[in-house]
Amino acid sequence: MDVWERCWERCAALLAAQGVSLPPGAREKLEAHARLVREWNKVAGLVSHRDEGRIERAHTMDSLSLAPIVARACGGKGRLVDIGSGGGFPAIPLKVALPGLDVRFIERSTRKLGFLRKAFPALGLDACVVVAGSFPEDMDLEGADVVTARAVEKPGPIVGAIAERLGPGAVFLCQSGDPSAQLAAVFHVEHVHDAWNEEGLRRGEVFVVHRGATLETQPRQA
């Protein structure tokens, strides 16, 4: 059994234990996504050169580790806004795992936009819209239930801008370090450290940012 096979089996088991049942064909779509990233990488610079040979391990698994948090926040049927989407991590694996999501991708690179527009039909993904531009100049967070920004180049200024624009009940999954010092007291930051971290299937730490009540009491969509 190779590394990807072992990781996949453990990933599926962790997702199931946390209430996320992968739909039929999920693995095939995730593997197809990784192949597309490799094909486009020299042209679009989607992942670092060292990661080309371990996309599934370094990027797909990390993205899927967020699925239980997203499902907990919006029932897996809300709107996900992904800022600086690049090669589609984490939003494409999240869409594969939670097909009920309505996903908005925002990306300013023309080449990366081309990749995303190619990937959606190739992977059979619906309810995916690409916005060409930068946040917050070219897109707001109206209607967003969950916001991700895993691949932004300079996360510092973006974190505050995202938090300020979060609507009631919305959450921001911050993967660029603890944002507590950057945020006003009205925001709550929850550190998520779980089996994904313990088993090395998540690249770093996740901090869930939201207003008011704790995440456990956030309203869920039916």
Side-chain angles (χ1 to χ4, degrees):
M1 185 182 296
D2 62 18
V3 173
W4 164 237
E5 185 74 27
R6 291 195 301 272
C7 287
W8 173 256
E9 289 190 359
R10 187 56 187 146
C11 173
L14 284 173
L15 288 172
Q18 294 178 307
V20 177
S21 298
L22 291 169
R27 177 173 176 173
E28 289 75 14
K29 287 185 178 182
L30 293 168
E31 291 174 345
H33 176 216
R35 287 195 298 272
L36 279 173
V37 171
R38 289 189 179 96
E39 291 171 10
W40 279 69
N41 202 45
K42 289 183 180 179
V43 174
L46 302 172
V47 298
S48 68
H49 177 70
R50 69 174 185 173
D51 281 350
E52 275 192 1
R54 58 190 190 109
I55 290 172
E56 296 90 346
R57 181 71 175 80
H59 295 280
T60 305
M61 295 293 100
D62 178 67
S63 299
L64 288 174
S65 78
L66 303 180
I69 307 173
V70 174
R72 188 170 148 220
C74 70
K77 298 180 181 179
R79 173 168 293 179
L80 169 68
V81 175
D82 184 45
I83 298 169
S85 299
F89 300 108
I92 286 180
L94 286 173
K95 173 65 177 177
V96 171
L98 302 167
L101 288 175
D102 171 26
V103 187
R104 297 291 183 269
F105 298 76
I106 181 165
E107 174 57 56
R108 64 183 180 181
S109 164
T110 301
R111 293 179 179 180
K112 292 174 183 177
L113 286 166
F115 166 77
L116 292 169
R117 288 169 176 151
K118 173 74 173 180
F120 303 150
L123 300 174
L125 302 179
D126 60 5
C128 291
V129 175
V130 182
V131 177
S134 301
F135 175 83
E137 294 84 1
D138 301 301
M139 185 179 184
D140 59 29
L141 299 180
E142 183 177 357
D145 296 293
V146 179
V147 181
T148 54
R150 179 179 183 265
V152 293
E153 293 178 2
K154 297 179 180 179
I158 293 293
V159 169
I162 292 171
E164 290 172 3
R165 291 164 175 79
L166 284 178
V171 301
F172 167 40
L173 308 188
C174 181
Q175 294 178 274
S176 55
D178 187 349
S180 300
Q182 299 174 245
L183 304 177
V186 68
F187 295 102
H188 292 259
V189 178
E190 298 178 25
H191 179 206
V192 177
H193 187 94
D194 54 21
W196 298 89
N197 299 92
E198 298 296 335
E199 298 187 29
L201 296 175
R202 181 181 290 141
R203 293 182 70 164
E205 302 296 332
V206 179
F207 297 87
V208 182
V209 179
H210 49 88
R211 296 175 185 265
T214 60
L215 182 57
E216 286 79 7
T217 63
Q218 294 284 345
R220 299 186 185 184
Q221 294 189 6

